[in-house]
Amino acid sequence: MIPLMRRTIMFLNYIYKQHSYICYDVLYCYQEIWGNALFGYLMISIPFNVIAVTTLFTEQLTWMEMIIQYIIIIIHAAITVLSLFQFSRETKLLNEAKFHLVPIIQSLVIYNRAVVFGLYDINQNQSTILSLKIKYCDLFNRLTNGRKYGPNVSTVGVITNMFIFNMAITYVGIFIFISSHLDFDN
């Protein structure tokens, strides 16, 4: 157990600042700019999908019109799901840092000896190491117990794989509800 060099401490401080900037930019970008647009897209998609699927139940469509309807439904669903999985992967990458923080926090040890080792002075680095350790502990706590960082959909929440699963279940539920209330005999 040797003390960390000043260069390593400065590099860890740089990494902390860069992660904070990235998380802030992503949160601001998706909360203020893209979150509402994505929410609007998903809300418009629900009636579009329901209309596209319910038109398949009409008996007046030719085979070509039915194939076109299927193609429209499949392309729209694929674009939506693939883009949401990309957002989910961004969320995972931003929150994956918590797995790498434990060894960093454990390596930030404060030494109480007044010894000068070549390029750095331990007493001079004590306050810097303590400050850095507190920052990394706070970041670890926010990543494990706080809300997730990443692209979000307005006030609905951050896009994760569970969000995509819940959205798919909601779409199926809405479709079943609407199809059960339509009268196809007329």
Side-chain angles (χ1 to χ4, degrees):
M1 295 283 298
I2 59 171
L4 295 173
M5 292 192 327
R6 180 123 178 106
R7 185 178 191 183
T8 307
I9 293 169
M10 297 309 283
F11 184 66
L12 288 174
N13 197 18
Y14 173 77
I15 290 173
Y16 175 80
K17 286 181 181 177
Q18 290 302 314
H19 187 269
S20 297
Y21 291 146
I22 290 170
C23 288
Y24 176 76
D25 285 344
V26 166
L27 287 176
Y28 175 76
C29 177
Y30 284 105
Q31 273 183 338
E32 299 296 324
I33 300 169
W34 293 110
N36 293 332
L38 187 59
F39 181 71
Y41 169 76
L42 292 175
M43 289 298 106
I44 290 171
S45 295
I46 292 173
F48 173 78
N49 288 338
V50 169
I51 290 170
V53 172
T54 53
T55 56
L56 293 174
F57 290 122
T58 61
E59 297 174 4
Q60 301 167 350
L61 293 179
T62 65
W63 285 104
M64 189 61 162
E65 290 170 339
M66 287 181 68
I67 291 173
I68 291 173
Q69 281 299 111
Y70 279 121
I71 290 173
I72 290 172
I73 293 167
I74 290 170
I75 289 175
H76 184 265
I79 289 172
T80 303
V81 169
L82 290 176
S83 64
L84 288 178
F85 274 124
Q86 179 63 34
F87 288 141
S88 172
R89 192 166 64 184
E90 287 179 27
T91 301
K92 182 181 176 192
L93 285 174
L94 283 173
N95 291 286
E96 199 172 66
K98 66 183 170 192
F99 300 117
H100 306 291
L101 291 178
V102 174
I104 292 173
I105 293 170
Q106 290 173 347
S107 70
L108 294 171
V109 178
I110 301 170
Y111 291 90
N112 292 323
R113 293 178 278 168
V115 180
V116 176
F117 286 100
L119 300 175
Y120 56 98
D121 182 7
I122 293 176
N123 285 335
Q124 183 182 5
N125 290 337
Q126 281 183 354
S127 63
T128 307
I129 291 174
L130 179 62
S131 169
L132 196 59
K133 187 167 187 150
I134 290 171
K135 287 178 184 177
Y136 272 99
C137 286
D138 179 53
L139 178 63
F140 180 74
N141 187 32
R142 280 186 283 144
L143 289 174
T144 53
N145 300 323
R147 71 179 193 143
K148 290 193 176 283
Y149 292 106
N152 59 16
V153 179
S154 189
T155 58
V156 177
V158 177
I159 300 173
T160 59
N161 290 335
M162 187 55 119
F163 173 84
I164 297 170
F165 176 74
N166 288 338
M167 186 192 71
I169 294 297
T170 303
Y171 271 33
V172 170
I174 289 173
F175 170 71
I176 291 171
F177 175 77
I178 290 176
S179 65
S180 67
H181 286 81
L182 290 176
D183 186 21
F184 295 114
D185 295 333
N186 295 333

